[in-house]
Amino acid sequence: MMDRLESRSDSELLELSLTGEEAAFLVLYERLKPSIFRYAFHVTNSKTAAEEVTQEVFVFLLREGTRYKQARGDVAAFAFGIARNFVRRLQKRERVYQELPSDEVLEKVSDRQNERDGLAAQLIRKQGIERIRTAIASLPDRYRQVIVLCDLCELSYAEAACRLECAVGTVRSRLNRARALLVEKLKQSKKPQTELPAAGPEECLI
Amino acid sequence: MTCQELRDDFEGDLRVGANRLSAVELVEHVAACPSCNRFVEGQKELEEHLRAVRDSAPPIPDSLDNTVVTNYRSFVLEQSRLAKSTPLSCRINPRIALGWAAAVAFAVAVAYGAMLLFIPGQHAWVDRQDTVRQPMVAPVQGTADKEAARARIATRKAPKSRGGSAKHANHPVLLAEKDKSPPIRFQSLMYCDQISCPGAMEVIRVQLPSPVMGLTPTSSGRMGAAVSADVLVGPDGIARGIRVVE
C-alpha cells in the first residue's frame, strides 16, 4: 500500500489526501515536513514558531488544497509559499510584543557558567552559531530568503528560484551579495569591542 | 587563473567552491594573491559557520506529527459530516446549474421551432386561428385605406388564372370584380355612380356586433353574437355598400 503511494507524485498524493486517504496524506507529510520545518526554523530562529508554521501549513493545505494548480508549480513550492506567508504573519505579530529573553539566551547564560567546568569549546561553538544566526536575521529579507533556502535548506538554485518566483540569475546574484554581507558582518562581530571609557574615582562606589 | 575566475568559481554552490580548493591552479593563485587569499578564507569560514547552523537545526518533535495527523482526521470527519448534512441544493454549483438551465431552455426553443416547421397539423391550426381572428367592428377610414392598398398589391401579385390559390380564397379580404357591374344584394350606404366612383371597388369582409346591424337578439340567435358582412369600399376608402352574409 505504502510502496504504491511512494511512487505517486506530490500532486496525486494531495488529491488522494483531500478525498480522505490518510496513507496518502502521511506520505505527502513525510516528504514536505523536513524542508518546511527547517525553513521556518532558520527564518524565525525559534523551534516553537517552526512547529506552529509547519502545523498551519498542513492545515491550510487541506482546507485550500483544491486551489492548487499543477501548471503553476509543484506541491512543495505551493506549500513553501504558504509557509512563507505564515512566517511573515508570525513575524508581524511578534513585532508588536516586547522581546523576552528566549531559551537560547538563558542557555547562553548557563553555558557561561559551564565554561568554568571545562566546556569552553562547546560554548565557543554555540556562540559562533548564535553569531551567524544573528547575522542572517539582520540581513534584508530578499537576501535572508536565499541564504536560508540555498545554504541552510540545501535547495538547488533552480528550486530556490521556483520557490521565490524569480529567475535563477536573480537567486545567484542575491546569494553572492548575501554571502558578502555575511562575511562582512562576521568580521565586524569578531573585532574587539571598543573599550569603555574609564570611570572616574567619583563613579566607583567600592 | 585570474581573481575574477576564482570569484566566479565561488559564485556557484559554496560547498563545490570549497571543494575545489584542492585544485592546483587555485591553490597557486591563492598563495600568490593576498586579496583572493582573504576572500577564500572568508568563504571557508562562512561555509563552516553555515554548516554549523545547518546541523544545529533541532529534530522535528513527535508531538508535531501527532498534531498534524489529528488535524487531518478532524478535517476528514468534518468533510464527511458536511457532505451528509448539506442539502443537495447547497452542494450544486450555481454556475453549473445556470449552464444546465440555459441548455434546457435552448433545447426547448429548438424543439418548439422544429415542431412549428415540420408538423403540418400545427400549420393548419395557426392558419385557422388567423382566419378566425377577424375585426369585430367595421374598419375606420385609415384602416380601410391600408386594406385597399394591400389589396391592390395583392391584385398585382395574384396569378392570372381565375381560380387563384386556395390560400387567397380563404383570405378575409375579397377583391371586387374589375368590371363596373354592380355587386349583387348590396345595400347602398352612399350615392355611387360613374363620376363619384370611377375606379374599381373592393369588398372587405368584416364582423360586426348584431346591434350595430339593427338585428334583434332573437334573429341573431344570441345576445352579442357577431354578424359577418361584406362591405363595398370605393377607391377613396369610403364604404359604398354593405351585404349581410350570415
Side-chain angles (χ1 to χ4, degrees), chain A residues 22 29 133 151 176 190, chain B residues 11 45 54 56 65 73:
Chain A
E22 190 175 322
Y29 173 66
R133 275 188 185 156
D151 287 338
N176 279 333
K190 266 186 184 176
Chain B
E11 259 193 15
E45 193 183 2
R54 205 162 44 228
S56 72
D65 297 352
R73 284 177 186 158

Side-chain angles (χ1 to χ4, degrees), chain B residues 54-201:
Chain B
R54 205 162 44 228
D55 296 342
S56 72
I60 301 166
D62 293 337
S63 61
L64 178 66
D65 297 352
N66 295 334
T67 314
V68 171
V69 172
T70 310
N71 283 342
Y72 177 75
R73 284 177 186 158
S74 61
F75 165 79
V76 172
L77 265 177
E78 191 185 332
Q79 289 294 312
S80 59
R81 203 179 302 141
L82 271 174
K84 278 177 192 168
S85 63
T86 312
L88 186 65
S89 58
C90 294
R91 273 184 275 164
I92 294 171
N93 191 337
R95 284 184 186 174
I96 294 169
L98 197 65
W100 274 107
V104 167
F106 179 73
V108 166
V110 167
Y112 183 70
M115 195 173 70
L116 288 180
L117 281 173
F118 299 113
I119 301 175
Q122 290 297 322
H123 263 300
W125 181 80
V126 171
D127 285 348
R128 271 202 302 279
Q129 291 297 312
D130 287 347
T131 311
V132 169
R133 277 182 201 160
Q134 289 178 2
M136 294 296 289
V137 293
V140 292
Q141 187 72 32
T143 316
D145 287 345
K146 283 177 194 167
E147 290 291 335
R150 207 180 301 157
R152 250 178 260 124
I153 293 164
T155 311
R156 266 182 246 127
K157 286 182 180 174
K160 294 201 174 172
S161 64
R162 211 66 177 139
S165 65
K167 203 173 179 183
H168 277 101
N170 287 336
H171 203 273
V173 178
L174 301 174
L175 300 177
E177 295 294 327
K178 283 285 180 185
D179 57 357
K180 295 286 175 65
S181 59
I184 307 158
R185 283 180 289 159
F186 268 87
Q187 192 182 342
S188 176
L189 292 173
M190 193 177 181
Y191 181 76
C192 182
D193 61 2
Q194 288 292 335
I195 300 166
S196 59
C197 311
M201 289 193 283

Side-chain angles (χ1 to χ4, degrees), chain A residues 17 20-22 25-26 29 33 37 41-42 51 55 59 62 132-133 151-152 154 157 176 179 190, chain B residues 10-15 45 50 53-54 56 58 60-61 64-65 67-69 71-73 75 78:
Chain A
S17 305
E21 198 166 320
E22 190 175 322
F25 175 75
L26 289 175
Y29 173 66
K33 172 183 72 171
F37 181 82
F41 174 75
H42 288 307
E51 278 182 48
Q55 189 183 323
V59 169
L62 290 173
I132 188 86
R133 275 188 185 156
D151 287 338
L152 299 181
E154 298 178 283
Y157 286 0
N176 279 333
R179 282 172 186 166
K190 266 186 184 176
Chain B
F10 274 86
E11 259 193 15
D13 195 344
L14 196 62
R15 285 153 289 168
E45 193 183 2
L50 288 174
V53 172
R54 205 162 44 228
S56 72
I60 301 166
L64 178 66
D65 297 352
T67 314
V68 171
V69 172
N71 283 342
Y72 177 75
R73 284 177 186 158
F75 165 79
E78 191 185 332

Side-chain angles (χ1 to χ4, degrees), chain A residues 3-78:
Chain A
D3 291 341
R4 186 175 58 83
L5 289 170
E6 286 289 347
S7 59
R8 297 281 186 106
S9 69
D10 288 353
S11 55
E12 287 173 332
L13 289 173
L14 179 62
E15 271 181 35
L16 288 171
S17 305
L18 293 176
T19 57
E21 198 166 320
E22 190 175 322
F25 175 75
L26 289 175
V27 173
L28 183 68
Y29 173 66
E30 287 300 325
R31 276 189 202 172
L32 300 180
K33 172 183 72 171
S35 59
I36 292 172
F37 181 82
R38 262 192 297 171
Y39 166 78
F41 174 75
H42 288 307
V43 173
T44 59
N45 268 344
S46 161
K47 190 180 167 185
T48 317
E51 278 182 48
E52 189 183 335
V53 168
T54 311
Q55 189 183 323
E56 289 296 328
V57 165
F58 283 96
V59 169
F60 191 89
L61 204 59
L62 290 173
R63 293 202 184 282
E64 305 293 328
T66 48
R67 279 166 56 184
Y68 165 70
K69 301 272 183 294
Q70 201 173 355
R72 295 177 66 181
D74 54 0
V75 178
F78 182 61

Side-chain angles (χ1 to χ4, degrees), chain A:
Chain A
M1 175 73 175
M2 291 298 267
D3 291 341
R4 186 175 58 83
L5 289 170
E6 286 289 347
S7 59
R8 297 281 186 106
S9 69
D10 288 353
S11 55
E12 287 173 332
L13 289 173
L14 179 62
E15 271 181 35
L16 288 171
S17 305
L18 293 176
T19 57
E21 198 166 320
E22 190 175 322
F25 175 75
L26 289 175
V27 173
L28 183 68
Y29 173 66
E30 287 300 325
R31 276 189 202 172
L32 300 180
K33 172 183 72 171
S35 59
I36 292 172
F37 181 82
R38 262 192 297 171
Y39 166 78
F41 174 75
H42 288 307
V43 173
T44 59
N45 268 344
S46 161
K47 190 180 167 185
T48 317
E51 278 182 48
E52 189 183 335
V53 168
T54 311
Q55 189 183 323
E56 289 296 328
V57 165
F58 283 96
V59 169
F60 191 89
L61 204 59
L62 290 173
R63 293 202 184 282
E64 305 293 328
T66 48
R67 279 166 56 184
Y68 165 70
K69 301 272 183 294
Q70 201 173 355
R72 295 177 66 181
D74 54 0
V75 178
F78 182 61
F80 172 80
I82 299 167
R84 201 174 160 199
N85 287 335
F86 271 116
V87 165
R88 279 181 183 163
R89 207 176 296 170
L90 200 72
Q91 284 172 337
K92 208 178 278 181
R93 191 180 71 195
E94 295 299 321
R95 215 173 288 159
V96 179
Y97 303 105
Q98 195 180 354
E99 200 174 334
L100 293 170
S102 65
D103 296 343
E104 286 156 8
V105 173
L106 296 173
E107 218 173 301
K108 211 173 358 180
V109 173
S110 66
D111 281 344
R112 276 180 199 150
Q113 288 174 340
N114 290 339
E115 192 180 2
R116 293 177 205 144
D117 303 332
L119 297 173
Q122 194 182 345
L123 175 65
I124 289 165
R125 188 175 172 275
K126 281 199 173 182
Q127 277 180 342
I129 291 170
E130 189 56 36
R131 216 169 58 219
I132 188 86
R133 275 188 185 156
T134 312
I136 290 170
S138 67
L139 285 174
D141 186 59
R142 59 181 184 278
Y143 297 136
R144 188 167 71 241
Q145 295 288 343
V146 289
I147 281 283
V148 168
L149 287 177
C150 295
D151 287 338
L152 299 181
C153 293
E154 298 178 283
L155 294 184
S156 68
Y157 286 0
E159 284 172 325
C162 179
R163 304 282 195 278
L164 297 171
E165 293 173 349
C166 63
V168 175
T170 309
V171 171
R172 194 185 292 271
S173 62
R174 280 185 191 174
L175 193 59
N176 279 333
R177 180 75 185 132
R179 282 172 186 166
L181 281 172
L182 274 182
V183 170
E184 278 300 309
K185 282 178 188 290
L186 288 174
K187 272 181 194 169
Q188 280 175 8
S189 66
K190 266 186 184 176
K191 280 180 189 171
Q193 288 184 349
T194 50
E195 286 174 12
L196 293 169
E202 69 276 7
E203 298 288 331
C204 184
L205 299 175
I206 300 171

